[in-house]
Amino acid sequence: MAVPGAAAVPLLLLGAVTAAAGCGYQSCPATRPDLLNVHLVPHTHDDVGWLKTVEQYFYGVRNEVQHAGVQYILDSVVAQLVADPSRRFIYAEVAFLARWWRQQDEAMRRTVRQLVEQGRLEFVGGGWCMSDEAAAHYSPAIEQLALGRRFLRREFGACGTPRVAWQIDPFGHSRQLAAIFAQMGYDGLFVGRVDHQDKATREELREMELLWRASGNLPPPAADLFTGILPNVYNPPSGFCWDQLCSDPPVVDEDSEENNVDSIVSSFLQIAASQAERYRTNHIIMTMGSDFHYENANLWFKNMDKLIAHVNARQANGSRVHVLYSTPSCYLWELYQANLSWSLKTDDFFPYADGPHQFWTGYFTSRPAFKRYERLSNNFLQICSQLEALAGPAAREGPYGPGNSSVLREAVAVAQHHDAVTGTEKQHVADDYARQLAVGWESCQLLVANALASLSGSKENFIFCNALNISVCPLTEAAGRFTVILYNPLGRRVSWPIRLPVNGTSYAVTDPEGQSVPSEVIPISNFTHRLRGDGGSATRELLFQASVPPLGFSTFAVSRLSRGDPRAHPARAPALSQPREIQNEHVRVLFDPLTGHLKEIQNLDKSISLPVFQSFYWYNASVGNDESSQASGAYIFRPNSSEPIPVSGSKRVSAHLVKNALVQEVHQNFSSWCSQVVRLHAGQPYVELEWTVGPIPVADGWGKEIISRFETTLQTNARFYTDSNGRQILERRRDYRPTWNLSQTEPVAGNYYPVNSRIFIKDKKFQLTVLTDRSQGGSSIFDGSLELMVHRRLLYDDNRGVGEPLVELGASKQGLVVRGRHLVLLDTVESAADQHRPLAQELFMAPYVVLAPGGGPSYRRGQPGLRQFSALRHELPPNVHLLTLTPWDAVETRTDAGTLLLRLEHQFERGESANGSQPVTVDLLNLFSAFTVTSVQEMSLGADLPLGDVSRLVWSPDTGPAKPRPGPRLDPSQVTLQPMEIRTFLATVQYQVAGTGPRGP
């Protein structure tokens, strides 16, 4: 669809080009070295979903909820840029831009490309969305940035590549994401929200602009990122908002009694002078726009044109202020030219508070079911992408229909948005994010089925049971025989517990070689019965341990045994006595026989033990009080007391034991809405806590925030440790911030931090680590303790714009029930990382079960069936993780060669493990068996630029300059990874069988 009038636009543009030649820094407007230069940056902040869904925002539907229509914003801005060559505009959200681009005819596309090539339309950020920084895991955060950057590179060439990261709305900023921006080649980052105390201190010290050293592992300046804090979050200065959504007076400069030029110019000069006092150079930046502004861009540009003319006219009378249209990169370039050294920051910007009782730490946990679904969806996307790469074109065009990974890729990218995975959107928008993911799963399931058929040589009726977490799967519940295919996306062999809903009492399981695999059948727990309702009919669960090779699959045959079969086990009833302990070869867990609570964990391999008490509590959500009217809500956590209330009304929790050769479990019931299974699988060196919480009762009129708390005897000295986006570990200190003197006003909420994958406490000898299966808020409120918030249900809105309380009713409409897992590790401080690093990867890149009735026909006549497959010739070293394996040219797929995107990462930090933290070398040419690698090119982290083409501005910290080091010459047979390094490659590969992918090792 073409925009009306588009055909006339290019003629106007061609006659009006007087802007500086080229894009990038050379296209920047002239400034005045002797004056204060005010860079006006016209922008719109277009949330990829928040109060309306992505589509509602794009098309301008449901304007009664919020007046916003992104398609009209882009139409209007382009027309206004064409009208005057001095005007500039920046745009960030590629999810909207890509959709708008599809609507445009070739004439309009040419016009927009010209604007980009002149540097007048500049892309900033450049991700599919502006991602969250607290709840987003580094893997999908990298993917969504790469997805957006690839679109910009493809459609606009080098001029479309963003130089500046633009994180103006996320609620706090993470060290790992800053490191990612640096490694993608960004020259700087601009942020809008920093803690009000931090900002006040920085304004006083004129440290609103700084150099962020975002990694202690990569040699500087590899992860150094210049960071600017904007003066007014991302809004225009007060009195200068000229959008149709604003009510500030326009500039009236004609002969009229409404003429207001003097007052507007005087007010502007005052604001500029005041802002200049808080920044270091004779350049300041003003963001001219806000949420969904510029639907009628003429209003903004007409008034800014007048403002610029009248302010600059005052120079004739001695004014020292020069105003100009600019962009963040042109502003950044002027700061770089100033040749100053900048204060160095090494921590992060969490937690964020915009007032003394307003800590934005609730969203670390808000919408916990969606947070888990987002994490699972990225897990499945990686599996889908890997299988697409391993099977080649056969995955996309196969017997099950056309497979497509891009639908899920875009849905997972959208889910990283700072009002998506955060849980800070309206309920109907959260439902829509989940719907987008579900549609993506369906198209990826077709692709997975095609790929598995091609690789295994067997066209099975593949079945995907998406509700195994509540023991629902019609095939396994009814069938006497079935096949279990387990795919492992990790680069090392994994032993994985399989748990399937069944109705038989005994089963025979055989592995890919036909050998018998030990199995057990146990009753389904009451917790699961209650959770699933009438969703499934299984009364029992079949358990067995499945071994699966790296980057491959194993196929297991399962058959139900008749009662008289000599292999059948007699069914055992669970022991109902108060259990005292469970143990396997690595771990023993002791329980208090009087209360039923966990009381001690022992690591049998190291002969160490630690008293650990664990229970569930709830913080009473504040509704506001005399100190502040602030209520707890989707964004903000504010308990009305620092003391949480135990979930269990009595000191004793009822508990019973399930024990067999494969698993030992203690089932604890804390209340009618809170239960937990403490589980030890055979061979597993950690304790698994599977918690089920909800519906949270609110009939008493109180919102509740539920935590799982661990109390130990460790002397922790107010310190605890949390991860940054699932990667680097940061030390946290209670009631303390590294860069300013904190005045603590919320002793609980002000000490909460995002926990993406793990939190731990330690003393000089021992470390207790808890791994999470989704993002949660966590803390150590008193020494020796740590806690994680698992669920929250609130009755009041917290007045940050979403306009509804976080009450999530769930499928039953009675309140959301959430189930999740915490994995608990006790180890020595020296060895802890050797356990938690690979285990965390196993949680976010978990093996995936596909089922089939079995007995399907051959995929290709004469092709033997393959019951086990690995795409690797050998396992990756334990400190290397295969982060990405995905086709790069999925559109051009008609050949037997293809290009694959490959990311390998070192998953340890410096100094955290004697062996794990050493550099490690991998031979790329002999790594894969599924295809032959014929050539390799090293790319930037975003994969849109060859690594050799990345050149970044080098900034000087006040601690002394760091010189960039040239990277090693690429030898694909010897790729060395240093601690925390991610290396990105495009590999040209030849598949073994033309156009069909491999047949196995």
Side-chain angles (χ1 to χ4, degrees):
M1 184 182 100
V3 176
V9 168
L11 302 174
L12 275 169
L13 180 68
L14 294 171
V17 178
T18 55
C23 59
Y25 297 127
Q26 70 206 49
S27 72
C28 289
T31 57
R32 296 282 302 270
D34 53 329
L35 301 179
L36 172 65
N37 293 274
V38 183
H39 294 249
L40 300 185
V41 176
H43 81 107
T44 177
H45 177 63
D46 296 348
D47 288 304
V48 183
W50 179 38
L51 309 182
K52 303 200 293 190
T53 66
V54 180
E55 303 231 331
Q56 287 166 355
Y57 272 138
F58 182 76
Y59 292 111
V61 179
R62 303 261 333 249
N63 275 352
E64 75 283 0
V65 173
Q66 182 184 12
H67 188 99
V70 175
Q71 60 173 339
Y72 307 119
I73 293 172
L74 290 165
D75 291 346
S76 184
V77 163
V78 169
Q80 289 302 316
L81 290 177
V82 166
D84 182 341
S86 70
R87 293 171 174 172
R88 294 180 178 243
F89 194 79
I90 61 167
Y91 199 73
E93 293 85 8
V94 177
F96 286 133
L97 179 72
R99 189 178 285 249
W100 179 80
W101 192 246
R102 289 199 294 270
Q103 293 180 343
Q104 308 313 309
D105 64 11
E106 201 42 52
M108 178 54 98
R109 289 183 176 193
R110 267 198 311 275
T111 299
V112 175
R113 285 193 182 106
Q114 249 177 320
L115 291 169
V116 172
E117 283 158 13
Q118 294 162 5
R120 300 206 293 117
L121 175 60
E122 179 180 304
F123 300 120
V124 292
W128 203 246
C129 66
M130 186 182 296
S131 76
D132 173 55
E133 303 199 29
H137 189 276
Y138 75 95
S139 162
I142 289 170
E143 291 247 346
Q144 78 86 20
L145 272 168
L147 182 65
R149 288 176 64 96
R150 190 174 181 200
F151 172 85
L152 295 176
R153 187 82 182 180
R154 189 174 66 237
E155 299 299 336
F156 303 100
C159 289
T161 302
R163 304 295 309 182
V164 165
W166 187 247
Q167 293 287 105
I168 57 175
D169 195 27
F171 329 128
H173 302 282
S174 81
R175 193 182 194 206
Q176 182 58 45
L177 205 63
I180 287 168
F181 285 132
Q183 290 168 83
M184 283 203 180
Y186 290 88
D187 283 328
L189 160 70
F190 288 96
V191 301
R193 298 184 185 275
V194 298
D195 185 280
H196 67 112
Q197 291 183 40
D198 189 8
K199 189 176 181 184
T201 306
R202 289 182 177 282
E203 285 180 333
E204 205 174 307
L205 299 172
R206 297 177 98 176
E207 289 185 358
M208 292 287 278
E209 288 153 340
L210 57 126
L211 191 61
W212 193 354
R213 182 151 291 164
S215 171
N217 301 283
L218 307 176
D224 288 0
L225 188 65
F226 182 89
T227 302
I229 299 163
L230 296 168
N232 203 24
V233 188
Y234 55 85
N235 297 307
S238 178
F240 293 84
C241 188
W242 289 307
D243 198 77
Q244 63 188 19
L245 300 171
C246 305
S247 52
D248 291 344
V251 181
V252 180
D253 58 357
E254 289 163 2
D255 184 12
S256 162
E257 62 187 36
E258 295 296 336
N259 184 302
N260 55 3
V261 168
D262 282 351
S263 66
I264 278 190
V265 169
S266 299
S267 167
F268 184 84
L269 291 173
Q270 204 173 349
I271 287 168
S274 165
Q275 186 179 324
E277 286 171 10
R278 301 193 286 276
Y279 290 80
R280 288 180 65 195
T281 72
N282 64 322
H283 293 268
I284 61 172
I285 187 170
M286 292 184 182
T287 43
M288 304 305 280
S290 192
D291 291 5
F292 299 98
H293 279 197
Y294 287 80
E295 201 171 301
N296 180 353
N298 180 47
L299 294 174
W300 262 114
F301 281 114
K302 189 170 185 175
N303 283 285
M304 285 189 291
D305 288 347
K306 291 180 179 182
L307 177 73
I308 289 168
H310 290 296
V311 171
N312 290 348
R314 287 266 186 113
Q315 291 165 20
N317 301 332
S319 167
R320 312 293 300 155
V321 174
H322 179 69
V323 192
L324 62 151
Y325 282 120
S326 189
T327 67
S329 69
C330 289
Y331 173 67
L332 186 77
W333 179 245
E334 295 292 348
L335 298 180
Y336 180 69
Q337 301 284 81
N339 204 17
L340 300 172
S341 58
W342 304 88
S343 64
L344 194 69
K345 180 181 177 69
T346 56
D347 59 321
D348 64 2
F349 288 99
F350 286 116
Y352 163 61
D354 59 357
H357 301 283
Q358 288 81 9
F359 281 91
W360 297 45
T361 54
Y363 81 94
F364 300 162
T365 296
S366 295
R367 300 196 187 278
F370 181 72
K371 280 180 163 65
R372 176 64 181 152
Y373 191 34
E374 176 274 326
R375 189 68 59 90
L376 276 173
S377 298
N378 180 59
N379 191 166
F380 190 54
L381 172 62
Q382 300 311 318
I383 287 166
C384 180
S385 298
Q386 287 183 6
L387 282 166
E388 187 177 7
L390 299 179
R396 291 183 286 279
E397 295 295 335
Y400 304 93
N404 185 352
S405 60
S406 67
V407 185
L408 186 56
R409 185 168 290 107
E410 290 182 15
V412 171
V414 164
Q416 306 314 306
H417 167 59
H418 61 269
D419 288 305
V421 69
T422 52
T424 55
E425 63 283 86
K426 282 188 180 289
Q427 184 62 51
H428 82 277
V429 180
D431 295 344
D432 185 67
Y433 288 136
R435 180 196 61 78
Q436 289 182 53
L437 290 172
V439 171
W441 277 72
E442 283 176 17
S443 58
C444 254
Q445 283 173 345
L446 283 176
L447 194 152
V448 167
N450 286 335
L452 286 176
S454 162
L455 294 170
S456 69
S458 178
K459 285 193 282 193
E460 298 288 350
N461 176 19
F462 294 113
I463 288 167
F464 298 86
C465 284
N466 295 330
L468 286 175
N469 64 333
I470 54 167
S471 291
V472 174
C473 181
L475 173 69
T476 61
E477 289 170 40
R481 316 173 76 83
F482 56 89
T483 297
V484 178
I485 303 115
L486 184 66
Y487 179 80
N488 174 21
L490 294 160
R492 63 176 190 278
R493 179 172 282 276
V494 169
S495 175
W496 195 252
I498 301 285
R499 212 176 175 97
L500 299 168
V502 294
N503 283 304
T505 55
S506 199
Y507 288 78
V509 180
T510 55
D511 71 9
E513 280 82 44
Q515 300 296 309
S516 178
V517 177
S519 64
E520 297 279 352
V521 173
I522 61 170
I524 279 183
S525 72
N526 291 337
F527 312 150
T528 298
H529 267 301
R530 206 161 48 222
L531 187 51
R532 139 190 117 182
D534 50 12
S537 65
T539 54
R540 301 179 185 89
E541 287 175 321
L542 167 67
L543 274 60
F544 65 94
Q545 203 72 18
S547 177
V548 55
L551 206 64
F553 61 80
S554 293
T555 305
F556 299 83
V558 179
S559 54
R560 187 162 57 208
L561 299 176
S562 59
R563 285 224 168 113
D565 193 298
R567 294 170 295 171
H569 294 300
R572 284 193 294 260
L576 292 172
S577 62
Q578 277 307 78
R580 290 171 183 269
E581 67 173 56
I582 53 176
Q583 87 171 68
N584 64 15
E585 54 272 54
H586 302 293
V587 187
R588 179 184 291 131
V589 183
L590 305 183
F591 296 83
D592 186 319
L594 294 175
T595 68
H597 283 105
L598 191 154
K599 75 166 188 182
E600 188 176 319
I601 298 175
Q602 298 176 359
N603 177 332
L604 302 176
D605 299 326
K606 304 275 173 72
S607 303
I608 57 177
S609 69
L610 182 69
V612 181
F613 171 85
Q614 183 273 336
S615 194
F616 291 90
Y617 301 83
W618 56 279
Y619 287 109
N620 199 335
S622 176
V623 299
N625 60 13
D626 294 344
E627 273 186 308
S628 166
S629 60
Q630 183 62 57
S632 214
Y635 300 86
I636 287 171
F637 170 36
R638 189 180 182 218
N640 73 359
S641 158
S642 297
E643 288 301 317
I645 297 156
V647 164
S648 173
S650 75
K651 286 241 162 73
R652 184 186 172 112
V653 297
S654 69
H656 70 263
L657 184 66
V658 172
K659 191 171 180 177
N660 56 50
L662 292 181
V663 75
Q664 299 190 16
E665 299 178 343
V666 171
H667 294 230
Q668 300 171 310
N669 199 28
F670 290 85
S671 75
S672 61
W673 53 272
C674 178
S675 60
Q676 179 171 263
V677 178
V678 183
R679 183 177 290 137
L680 282 179
H681 285 285
Q684 146 187 308
Y686 54 87
V687 187
E688 179 181 323
L689 304 183
E690 184 183 67
W691 45 268
T692 306
V693 175
I696 299 174
V698 288
D700 56 6
W702 291 108
K704 298 177 181 63
E705 330 222 17
I706 317 303
I707 61 165
S708 171
R709 179 181 277 179
F710 300 79
E711 298 176 29
T712 75
T713 52
L714 292 175
Q715 304 289 308
T716 53
N717 196 20
R719 284 161 173 80
F720 57 106
Y721 300 80
T722 65
D723 67 278
S724 180
N725 307 102
R727 211 155 181 266
Q728 301 180 59
I729 306 291
L730 289 167
E731 181 185 273
R732 310 299 192 180
R733 276 170 65 185
R734 198 160 51 249
D735 299 332
Y736 173 83
R737 303 290 184 267
T739 58
W740 84 90
N741 290 327
L742 174 70
S743 163
Q744 184 62 277
T745 43
E746 286 286 334
V748 175
N751 284 307
Y752 257 63
Y753 288 87
V755 177
N756 223 279
S757 65
R758 74 210 81 180
I759 180 172
F760 60 81
I761 51 175
K762 63 182 185 178
D763 61 13
K764 290 191 169 51
K765 288 187 188 166
F766 304 139
Q767 177 170 320
L768 185 77
T769 309
V770 181
L771 288 97
T772 65
D773 64 352
R774 72 201 74 195
S775 289
Q776 295 174 332
S779 188
S780 171
I781 298 298
F782 54 89
D783 278 6
S785 77
L786 65 80
E787 64 187 58
L788 288 156
M789 190 185 291
V790 296
H791 199 356
R792 53 203 310 256
R793 188 178 184 187
L794 306 164
L795 303 179
Y796 295 88
D797 177 50
D798 54 7
N799 202 27
R800 288 304 178 281
V802 78
E804 60 182 43
L806 185 70
V807 290
E808 292 193 285
L809 294 174
S812 68
K813 302 294 180 226
Q814 303 302 302
L816 184 69
V817 183
V818 184
R819 172 169 280 180
R821 295 190 305 153
H822 288 147
L823 306 186
V824 185
L825 288 162
L826 172 66
D827 212 328
T828 60
V829 170
E830 306 82 60
S831 305
D834 292 326
Q835 297 279 356
H836 73 68
R837 284 288 177 193
L839 193 54
Q841 300 297 19
E842 219 169 272
L843 265 175
F844 99 87
M845 290 272 268
Y848 185 75
V849 170
V850 181
L851 298 150
S858 284
Y859 181 76
R860 211 175 284 102
R861 186 172 296 170
Q863 181 183 357
L866 197 63
R867 300 183 61 78
Q868 186 154 293
F869 164 83
S870 174
L872 298 186
R873 294 184 191 277
H874 45 77
E875 290 193 26
L876 283 170
N879 48 2
V880 176
H881 176 237
L882 177 64
L883 180 60
T884 310
L885 177 65
T886 188
W888 192 241
D889 54 358
V891 186
E892 306 88 41
T893 55
R894 299 287 170 221
T895 70
D896 59 347
T899 306
L900 303 180
L901 171 65
L902 176 68
R903 287 191 188 95
L904 289 174
E905 65 166 321
H906 195 305
Q907 61 178 5
F908 282 77
E909 295 200 61
R910 282 187 196 286
E912 67 181 3
S913 159
N915 295 325
S917 297
Q918 299 301 317
V920 59
T921 300
V922 176
D923 178 357
L924 276 189
L925 299 179
N926 289 306
L927 180 60
F928 296 97
S929 59
F931 41 73
T932 306
V933 175
T934 54
S935 70
V936 179
Q937 182 181 24
E938 186 155 17
M939 305 295 285
S940 68
L941 181 58
D944 56 333
L945 289 171
L947 189 61
D949 293 0
V950 176
S951 87
R952 299 175 64 225
L953 301 180
V954 179
W955 302 80
S956 294
D958 53 16
T959 53
K963 283 219 165 71
R965 305 176 197 190
R969 241 189 92 253
L970 176 62
D971 174 356
S973 67
Q974 289 189 300
V975 171
T976 300
L977 293 160
Q978 302 292 335
M980 282 282 116
E981 186 177 19
I982 305 175
R983 293 184 68 176
T984 305
F985 306 95
L986 287 183
T988 310
V989 302
Q990 195 81 22
Y991 289 105
Q992 292 178 358
V993 179
T996 60
R999 284 196 239 177

